[in-house]
Amino acid sequence: MNNIVNVAVVGLGQVGNYLFNELIVKKKDIELKTGKKVNVVAISAKNINKRRKYKINRKIFYKNPFEIFKKEKVDILFEVIGQSDGVSKKLVETALKNKIHVITPNKALISKHGNNLAKLAEKNNVNLEFEASVAGGIPILRSIKEGLATNKLSKVYGILNGTSNYILSEMENSEQNFADVLKKAQMLGYAEPGNPKLDLNGFDAFAKVRILSALAFNSKISNKKCLMEGIEKIDLKDIKIANQLDLRIKLLGISELKNNQLFETVHPCLVSKKSYIGNVNGVMNAVILNGKPVGESVLQGEGAGPGPTSSSLLSDLLSILRGNIKKPFGVSVNKLKTLKTYNVNNYVNSLYLRFEVKDKPGVLSQITNRLAKYKISVKRLIQTPDKKNNKATIVIVTHKTTELNCNSCLSIFSKNKNILKSPTLIRLLD
């Protein structure tokens, strides 16, 4: 690579615009640490006139990003659009085929097409770097690929979505309901103002889980359906009851090898207030890795926002500028394993079940009898009457049971006229 390196940035949203400014501001720092001068030769976005926090250079602006390849000599492309397919996929493929290094924070793209894109990068002897796709500013992927490379990892889990973590933390702190806290998160820039669905329904965290699995277990990215739940159904009432039980609700992403089979899931968990993960609050992310011989390792930091994301993007840039041509997943794609999928029906947890019921004799016994039929035993029970409305809230914490039992049991509760709405279920983390 020459001493002058030409860079293009495609996508000038919050992250892309912040990154563009950082490339200008930190030019001397980058040269000091790598001996290379970075020259931003092209930028691209849908709308040149959109109001942005930092000024853009109109002289190097391209409305059509594919024109960049025809008119500029580019060594490194930053793809910061964020689509799983469409322009993002075509752009990255075009760059790799033209022997251009690619850096992206696009977890949707990597979790869906990472296997094929990595193969393309290896074929053309260029880098495909995506450190910023998981946990923002935490260098988790590089830690797995390099620092923990000789360890045999068995489990990776943690808080992987700062938006969801902020909402759950703020609901507890402010005692405001989900909708009000979501509006606050949107005002602060933690949640998308238009459609925050992917943060809230678990998809964002799940895309990151799939990437972590591939790196941790030297496996191909799975495309199998898995258990995925978000936080949309979490009520302030659940937050308050959890508090009484000395627990907190966290949205966790979990990737684990069970009997050498891959188990991936994202769902809300009740965790102890005394646990490490129970005290990771606000927009913070935390990733916990279990392996041999290292034991347990924890990495924590800000997981969302243009600052932390740009930090990881620039880290990838410095790695390339130092001449490190690496396999995107640490080992060659051809050597990645295809792991069998663990049967989610065998997933075992204690359960938190909240029932809103008619306040009348025999309703509690109907519930406990149904649980007993499915061999689900009661560990703890809280009953709170609402005499004014002739209702009651019943909360049951169970002993451990399988996911199969849990689903069978809940489907039958939906037919009980004394139960006013579908029960709320939250799993407890072991």
Side-chain angles (χ1 to χ4, degrees), residues 19-30 54:
L19 170 69
F20 172 62
N21 186 65
E22 288 285 280
L23 288 168
I24 306 302
V25 170
K26 294 188 173 170
K27 222 170 188 177
K28 288 184 179 178
D29 284 345
I30 293 169
Y54 302 103

Side-chain angles (χ1 to χ4, degrees), residues 149-202:
T150 59
N151 283 268
K152 187 173 178 62
L153 299 177
S154 57
K155 186 174 183 178
V156 184
Y157 71 101
I159 295 168
L160 300 173
N161 185 274
T163 303
S164 291
N165 202 44
Y166 169 80
I167 289 171
L168 294 171
S169 299
E170 190 61 19
M171 284 174 74
E172 180 184 354
N173 295 334
S174 68
E175 296 194 352
Q176 291 180 297
N177 64 35
F178 181 89
D180 289 339
V181 174
L182 173 58
K183 284 178 187 174
K184 195 184 291 187
Q186 289 172 314
M187 283 171 56
L188 292 168
Y190 298 148
E192 286 289 332
N195 183 11
K197 184 180 176 183
L198 298 182
D199 284 320
L200 306 179
N201 68 6

Side-chain angles (χ1 to χ4, degrees), residues 28-36 318 322:
K28 288 184 179 178
D29 284 345
I30 293 169
E31 186 179 354
L32 178 67
K33 292 177 179 179
T34 65
K36 302 284 196 298
L318 263 62
R322 287 170 177 148

